[in-house]
Amino acid sequence: MLKINNVSLRFGTRTLFENVNLEFKDDNCYGIIGANGAGKSTFLKIISGEVESTKGEVIIGKNERISVLRQNHNEFDEYKVIDTVISGDTELYDIMKEKEAIYMKPDFSMEDGIRAGELEAKFEEKNGWQAESDAAILLAGLGLDNSCNDKFMSELEDKEKVKVLLARALFGEPDILLLDEPTNHLDIESINSLNLGLEKFNGVVVIATYDQEIIESVCNRLIEIKQDGTYRDKQISYEDYIEKYGIDN
């Protein structure tokens, strides 16, 4: 479940959104469209909690997890590729790193042993022993050679980084997937893999993009963010939307 209740966002005298009310349902893919500067990326950041709205609220189902693909391709340059993917499940990644830090202590105490046992139980519950294999499968499915898995992100080309970040967003089967311009720097093969992955995804997908082909191929509902702060929400194909409404410039 994902609901936007009466959300508004203002910057000084400018209103970016005004009284937005939307409900996003499972097994649907929503395309966020609009003119350059209308606020598509900002809208995703409000949903993810990265930007706080001026008023209103975003409601997410209990225990549901949001995963986000952002446009900053250099955000994880200091991480290894396989770690970057696994970090898509923040809870699992934090468990792994805390567990590693405890076992590396030279003066391992009784308290450390108790904590390590707690972490091992959580790790097992989240199927942590399968994490690296699952991450490698996602990377291979997006066309990234397994020789890259132990490289640092800073060693990769932009098109390779995007594939890793896509795998990160898909890792751990999130309930809600937010994609900001997901096809930037992707080759045709990777775009086809992305489309296939989105078609199989069972949760809510929200995509902000200029890429008409991906909107047409995977989105079954369109939300246009308009320049005057209003929005239009229609269950319609992109081609029919443009023919009927055009894009507010």
Side-chain angles (χ1 to χ4, degrees):
M1 179 188 71
L2 172 62
K3 290 184 178 181
I4 312 294
N5 281 352
N6 204 33
V7 164
S8 298
L9 181 65
R10 303 185 186 95
F11 294 112
T13 59
R14 185 190 176 195
T15 298
L16 201 59
F17 314 116
E18 187 70 32
N19 299 326
V20 178
N21 291 280
L22 294 166
E23 182 174 355
F24 299 84
K25 297 182 178 180
D26 283 353
D27 299 325
N28 282 293
C29 185
Y30 299 81
I32 309 299
I33 60 176
N36 186 30
K40 299 185 295 296
S41 294
T42 304
F43 185 73
L44 290 191
K45 289 177 181 177
I46 289 175
I47 295 176
S48 69
E50 188 176 342
V51 170
E52 185 176 351
S53 60
T54 306
K55 72 171 186 176
E57 60 180 347
V58 176
I59 301 172
I60 301 168
K62 186 178 180 181
N63 298 324
E64 292 195 344
R65 185 167 69 87
I66 289 182
S67 185
V68 184
L69 173 70
R70 297 184 177 88
Q71 293 188 41
N72 182 1
H73 300 159
N74 302 319
E75 183 176 356
F76 298 94
D77 273 1
E78 296 180 1
Y79 287 60
K80 286 189 175 181
V81 167
I82 203 75
D83 285 344
T84 300
V85 177
I86 296 173
S87 72
D89 186 335
T90 307
E91 183 181 3
L92 174 60
Y93 186 74
D94 288 346
I95 289 170
M96 289 174 60
K97 290 304 171 184
E98 185 180 352
K99 191 160 65 82
E100 288 174 11
I102 288 175
Y103 288 138
M104 288 178 66
K105 282 187 171 183
D107 52 347
F108 192 86
S109 67
M110 183 179 296
E111 289 77 13
D112 290 331
I114 293 170
R115 180 57 180 163
E118 293 171 348
L119 291 170
E120 290 290 3
K122 292 179 180 178
F123 187 72
E124 182 73 28
E125 184 181 326
K126 292 187 68 65
N127 201 24
W129 298 112
Q130 190 67 27
E132 287 197 13
S133 175
D134 290 343
I137 289 170
L138 280 170
L139 290 166
L142 288 167
L144 198 65
D145 190 272
N146 62 13
S147 63
C148 294
N149 292 3
D150 288 323
K151 290 182 178 179
F152 283 93
M153 290 287 285
S154 58
E155 300 177 67
L156 304 186
E157 298 178 7
D158 268 353
K159 65 179 182 180
E160 293 173 322
K161 287 183 180 181
V162 174
K163 293 177 183 180
V164 177
L165 295 176
L166 279 171
R168 180 183 187 274
L170 293 167
F171 181 79
E173 299 181 354
D175 303 286
I176 300 162
L177 188 58
L178 308 180
L179 305 178
D180 191 2
E181 295 296 345
T183 58
N184 280 359
H185 302 290
L186 284 187
D187 53 30
I188 295 298
E189 182 182 352
S190 299
I191 291 173
N192 290 338
S193 297
L194 171 63
N195 288 347
L196 183 60
L198 293 178
E199 287 171 5
K200 293 179 178 179
F201 188 77
N202 294 321
V204 173
V205 181
V206 187
I207 304 176
T209 183
Y210 291 106
D211 190 328
Q212 299 177 13
E213 290 188 12
I214 193 169
I215 292 176
E216 190 68 56
S217 62
V218 301
C219 297
N220 58 0
R221 196 172 191 100
L222 301 179
I223 300 166
E224 182 186 1
I225 306 297
K226 305 181 77 173
Q227 297 281 38
D228 62 0
T230 61
Y231 66 99
R232 182 184 287 122
D233 173 23
K234 295 291 180 182
Q235 189 150 2
I236 189 173
S237 72
Y238 185 78
E239 183 179 351
D240 289 343
Y241 187 95
I242 295 300
E243 183 177 340
K244 187 170 184 178
Y245 301 106
I247 295 289
D248 179 30
N249 291 307

